[in-house]
Amino acid sequence: MSSNSSTTAAADLPTRRTMLAGVAGLAVAPLVFGPAVAASKPVVNITLPTPGSAGSIWRGAITAVPAALRADFDVNWVAGDPGQMQVQLAAGSLDIGVFGAIGLANLARKGSDITLFGPALDNHGRIIVKADSPFRKPADLVGKRIATQPKTTETYQQARVALSLIGIDVERDVEVIFGPPTASLALFDRGDVDAVIIVEPTATRAIGGGARELARIGDIWKEASGAAAAPFLVGLAAKNSWLTANRSLATSVARLFAAANGALRDNPKLFIEHAGEMGLRPKETAAIDLLPARLPDVYPTEWNQSVWSAIDRQIDVAVKLRLLDAAPGRKLYDGVALEKA
């Protein structure tokens, strides 16, 4: 090799290392969505649920609220499923995630300080059967095979609680196959299971394709417990250390989400406008047309004592039914009420 070649190779080496380092960084960095952020504003890394989840519409819905609600900070959307979200929050690459009461109660009993501080989603688990199915009520599924989300999800945990209230022990009385909503729906479409417990908008996709809704988990909870509203499913959550250091900012984020949820309730056509972000394909016109009637009540706007009492009640019922070993030794929520959105 000539001296010129050696000199060239040596000069190139840092550049190659820099490029490799950049590639490595891309491999481990979270997938972030959003416009370029201004250096003068705080940047909040917030979970963006994957398409097929009810929360996947938040990025679009937030553009429909007054700009003043998001003038003091910028949002970086960090994509991830619930399992990734927990890891990201623990690692600090995510400031705000979403958690449900039962799952968070388990973490709190292990020492986690993650705390709920704002509204996100109410329960939207649906029991779906074939249109020509002989099943007419949840009790008809005893001894049958159903597919649903993984055991660790709040959707499954709340389904266990609600069905237990009407005398159905899911893990004893039903053969359950666990998997993501799309996998559960594939099993259902092939006839490998008798029913599915799935969330929106996947449930509406199934109904748009000719399936039938047997029951709603939220309705089962309301009728069995005497509650006035569908149960809280998940709320905005962050480490308590982050909340303490960023109290005003956290309140602003909670208000923004309450307003976005309010926009979806007040203008259901937003579900059609953002159907693609929720994972629906343009050809799924029957399902898309159903979204405005089926989804608005999934999106709560309040964060106050009535919501906190509902969270406490969920924990109490889960403990009484032995679905939780014990209640956590602290409140799971911040106790800071929001003005009505």
Side-chain angles (χ1 to χ4, degrees):
M1 180 182 293
S2 68
S3 60
N4 287 343
S5 297
S6 298
T7 301
T8 301
D12 286 346
L13 188 57
T15 301
R16 290 171 183 159
R17 283 178 177 167
T18 301
M19 291 174 64
L20 289 172
V23 171
L26 288 174
V28 299
L31 181 58
V32 177
F33 296 91
V37 294
S40 60
K41 292 184 181 182
V43 178
V44 186
N45 295 314
I46 302 178
T47 189
L48 179 66
T50 52
S53 305
S56 58
I57 198 173
W58 280 325
R59 181 171 53 166
I62 280 174
T63 65
V65 306
L69 286 172
R70 44 195 163 88
D72 297 332
F73 62 94
D74 286 299
V75 174
N76 273 355
W77 295 102
V78 183
D81 61 30
Q84 291 172 317
M85 180 268 297
Q86 292 191 24
V87 173
Q88 291 162 342
L89 195 59
S93 60
L94 189 66
D95 298 314
I96 297 172
V98 293
F99 276 85
I102 298 175
L104 186 53
N106 277 316
L107 290 178
R109 294 187 65 240
K110 297 175 182 177
S112 171
D113 74 339
I114 293 173
T115 301
L116 299 165
F117 69 93
L121 300 169
D122 282 341
N123 190 287
H124 51 286
R126 321 298 195 201
I127 303 177
I128 305 295
V129 297
K130 297 287 189 181
D132 59 356
S133 167
F135 310 128
R136 297 293 165 184
K137 58 186 183 299
D140 294 338
L141 296 174
V142 171
K144 306 302 180 184
R145 175 184 287 186
I146 66 171
T148 189
Q149 291 184 251
K151 280 189 175 185
T152 55
T153 62
E154 204 70 21
T155 296
Y156 174 69
Q157 295 288 350
Q158 286 199 12
R160 281 190 70 194
V161 170
L163 291 169
S164 293
L165 293 175
I166 59 173
I168 301 174
D169 184 331
V170 174
E171 297 196 343
R172 180 194 65 201
D173 299 334
V174 181
E175 181 182 351
V176 184
I177 298 174
F178 298 101
T182 50
S184 295
L185 192 59
L187 291 172
F188 177 73
D189 289 340
R190 291 201 304 263
D192 294 337
V193 295
D194 299 293
V196 285
I197 302 177
I198 49 177
V199 293
E200 297 292 1
T202 308
T204 296
R205 294 180 74 178
I207 291 171
R212 173 167 56 87
E213 185 172 277
L214 179 72
R216 296 187 173 196
I217 298 302
D219 289 344
I220 295 172
W221 168 269
K222 287 191 295 183
E223 293 167 10
S225 68
F232 165 91
L233 182 68
V234 293
L236 300 177
K239 290 181 178 180
N240 194 55
S241 55
W242 187 90
L243 283 175
T244 300
N246 300 276
R247 182 64 260 183
S248 178
L249 181 57
T251 298
S252 295
V253 173
R255 285 177 177 154
L256 178 63
F257 272 73
N261 282 356
L264 292 168
R265 297 172 76 101
D266 294 341
N267 182 16
K269 290 183 179 178
L270 289 170
F271 291 106
I272 294 176
E273 181 179 340
H274 298 288
E277 296 174 37
M278 300 186 79
L280 280 81
R281 298 182 294 273
K283 67 180 182 181
E284 296 180 281
T285 54
I288 292 171
D289 289 345
L290 289 171
L291 294 175
R294 290 180 52 83
L295 266 65
D297 64 355
V298 170
Y299 299 85
T301 61
E302 296 184 343
W303 187 250
N304 52 31
Q305 186 59 57
S306 66
V307 180
W308 309 331
S309 295
I311 291 171
D312 290 339
R313 187 168 188 184
Q314 283 186 36
I315 299 304
D316 289 343
V317 172
V319 171
K320 288 176 182 177
L321 293 171
R322 298 182 180 178
L323 303 178
L324 276 175
D325 292 336
R330 65 171 177 87
K331 294 298 185 184
L332 300 176
Y333 44 82
D334 64 347
V336 179
L338 293 179
E339 297 175 2
K340 192 169 183 179

